Amino acid sequence: MKTLALAVLAVAMLSACGADETLQGHWVVDLDATVAEARRGGRSEREIAFLRELYGRGLLEITDDALVMRVLGVPDAVARNYRELERDGDCHRLQVQGSAPSHRYCLRDGRLIVDDPGATLSLVFKRQ
């Protein structure tokens, strides 16, 4: 009986730890992690200042079929439908409406890393 209880507890803990984490939800740009990615990619301090201004108040909501991008303090949002092309582990390759190349959305250590080929920059988000 004790072994069964431990097994049930272990399964519950794995589920709570995000073993099957989803892209859906509310995300906010993790500016420090995004800037660190930019520095690793050789971006200049001028470019990094621009990134801070552009993404510093960025929000992303992912629903079952749409990406909704917002900036805190700006009333308008941009919504784009998407479809998942493939999944490889914790990475999802998405075709986003209005964007020719596909994007990679990867869940790593509780963060969402978005590789936008048009921006040549990985944006890092954390759950809001």
Side-chain angles (χ1 to χ4, degrees):
M1 185 71 160
K2 186 175 179 180
T3 304
L4 177 61
L6 287 174
V8 170
L9 180 61
V11 169
M13 288 175 64
L14 281 174
S15 297
C17 290
D20 191 25
E21 195 172 6
T22 177
L23 295 176
Q24 283 76 24
H26 294 271
W27 300 89
V28 61
V29 172
D30 184 334
L31 195 55
D32 292 336
T34 298
V35 166
E37 286 286 325
R39 284 199 170 108
R40 274 192 292 280
R43 301 291 177 123
S44 71
E45 287 305 313
R46 183 177 175 187
E47 290 173 304
I48 288 171
F50 178 73
L51 289 173
R52 287 183 185 281
E53 179 65 29
L54 182 63
Y55 295 111
R57 298 175 293 139
L59 303 171
L60 173 65
E61 178 185 357
I62 302 176
T63 68
D64 287 336
D65 62 354
L67 304 170
V68 182
M69 295 152 278
R70 293 183 172 80
V71 175
L72 281 174
V74 176
D76 297 327
V78 175
R80 297 283 186 260
N81 288 337
Y82 73 89
R83 65 184 175 94
E84 185 171 54
L85 300 175
E86 69 180 345
R87 182 174 179 180
D88 182 14
D90 290 335
C91 290
H92 306 256
R93 193 165 59 90
L94 306 180
Q95 182 62 56
V96 179
Q97 172 192 15
S99 179
S102 61
H103 299 196
R104 280 177 46 95
Y105 283 64
C106 297
L107 295 165
R108 292 194 186 114
D109 300 323
R111 299 284 194 253
L112 174 65
I113 294 98
V114 177
D115 292 322
D116 179 350
T120 64
L121 171 73
S122 294
L123 293 175
V124 182
F125 292 85
K126 57 188 174 185
R127 289 221 184 254
Q128 186 179 29

